[in-house]
């Protein structure tokens, strides 16, 4: 049982724990990049105040089990394009949470008149790439050996969706 709600800083600690749990797996996110709680609170507050396409999935205990957000470009020439980030904690994968989160942020991006969503995903993450393709994202480029973690290289696939 879960519910999808707009991002809110009152869930910042739980959100940070969820992000770190996915990072700790070392497969899906840049594992060594860590955020501070104050930066997380600021990010979540700004997303709420600016009505940014940003949602979290909460379990029955009100713990964050997934997230999906689109950060708009930060200069005038790129404000029409947003960058997608998302993740689901390991125990909750395969339950449709990612699909529902992605559908909600894409819908919100359309309401905000965004024109394109971009993302980067590790080439080894077949499940995520499949999900993105299901929603109409196409591959736009490849950054070879972008990551080296635990003596293993992984390419980074650039994908985009025109709205």
């Amino acid at each position: 049982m879960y519910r999808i709600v707009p991002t809110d800083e009152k869930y910042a600690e739980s959100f940070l724990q969820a992000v770190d749990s996915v990072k700790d797996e070392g497969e899906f996110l840049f594992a060594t990049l860590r955020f501070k709680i104050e930066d997380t609170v600021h990010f979540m507050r700004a997303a709420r105040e600016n009505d940014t396409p940003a949602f979290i999935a909460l379990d029955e205990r009100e713990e964050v089990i997934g997230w999906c957000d689109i950060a708009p470009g930060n200069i005038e020439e790129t404000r029409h394009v947003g960058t997608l980030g998302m993740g689901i904690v390991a125990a909750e994968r395969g339950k449709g949470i990612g699909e529902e989160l992605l559908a909600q942020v894409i819908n919100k991006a359309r309401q905000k008149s965004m024109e394109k969503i971009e993302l980067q995903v590790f080439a080894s993450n077949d499940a995520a790439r499949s999900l993105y393709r299901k929603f109409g994202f196409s591959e736009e480029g490849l950054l070879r050996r972008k990551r080296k973690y635990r003596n293993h290289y992984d390419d980074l696939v650039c994908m985009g969706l025109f709205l």
Side-chain angles (χ1 to χ4, degrees):
M1 185 73 169
Y2 67 90
R3 65 189 181 103
I4 307 293
V5 298
T7 297
D8 190 307
E9 67 269 19
K10 71 183 179 182
Y11 299 108
E13 277 192 42
S14 179
F15 175 78
L16 196 54
Q17 289 173 358
V19 172
D20 284 347
S21 77
V22 175
K23 287 181 177 196
D24 288 344
E25 293 178 68
E27 293 182 51
F28 309 112
L29 301 174
F30 285 101
T32 57
L33 176 64
R34 298 296 168 155
F35 302 111
K36 297 178 183 175
I37 187 65
E38 56 269 17
D39 294 335
T40 301
V41 168
H42 175 76
F43 166 78
M44 296 181 89
R45 181 178 296 131
R48 182 179 50 79
E49 290 174 353
N50 296 321
D51 197 28
T52 300
F55 293 88
I56 53 176
L58 300 171
D59 66 11
E60 60 279 347
R61 300 165 309 174
E62 295 289 293
E63 296 293 324
V64 175
I65 56 173
W67 71 92
C68 190
D69 54 73
I70 302 173
N74 57 6
I75 62 172
E76 185 63 32
E77 294 90 345
T78 62
R79 285 206 177 94
H80 66 292
V81 178
T83 302
L84 184 127
M86 72 177 297
I88 309 296
V89 299
E92 303 298 332
R93 292 185 193 131
K95 299 178 181 179
I97 298 168
E99 283 189 42
E100 191 170 338
L101 283 165
L102 191 54
Q104 295 243 6
V105 296
I106 291 172
N107 183 50
K108 184 69 164 190
R110 285 189 172 110
Q111 291 173 12
K112 300 289 284 183
S113 298
M114 295 182 95
E115 296 176 29
K116 183 181 181 187
I117 303 169
E118 297 176 337
L119 64 88
Q120 295 181 339
V121 59
F122 292 123
S124 62
N125 192 346
D126 294 326
R129 291 171 62 201
S130 177
L131 174 64
Y132 300 138
R133 282 192 296 273
K134 180 178 181 177
F135 277 82
F137 284 84
S138 60
E139 294 186 7
E140 298 184 332
L142 182 69
L143 301 171
R144 297 198 182 278
R145 293 187 173 196
K146 178 67 175 184
R147 178 175 78 154
K148 183 178 181 183
Y149 183 66
R150 297 182 179 151
N151 291 320
H152 172 73
Y153 290 103
D154 206 343
D155 297 338
L156 201 56
V157 179
C158 304
M159 300 181 80
L161 172 67
F162 288 96
L163 301 176

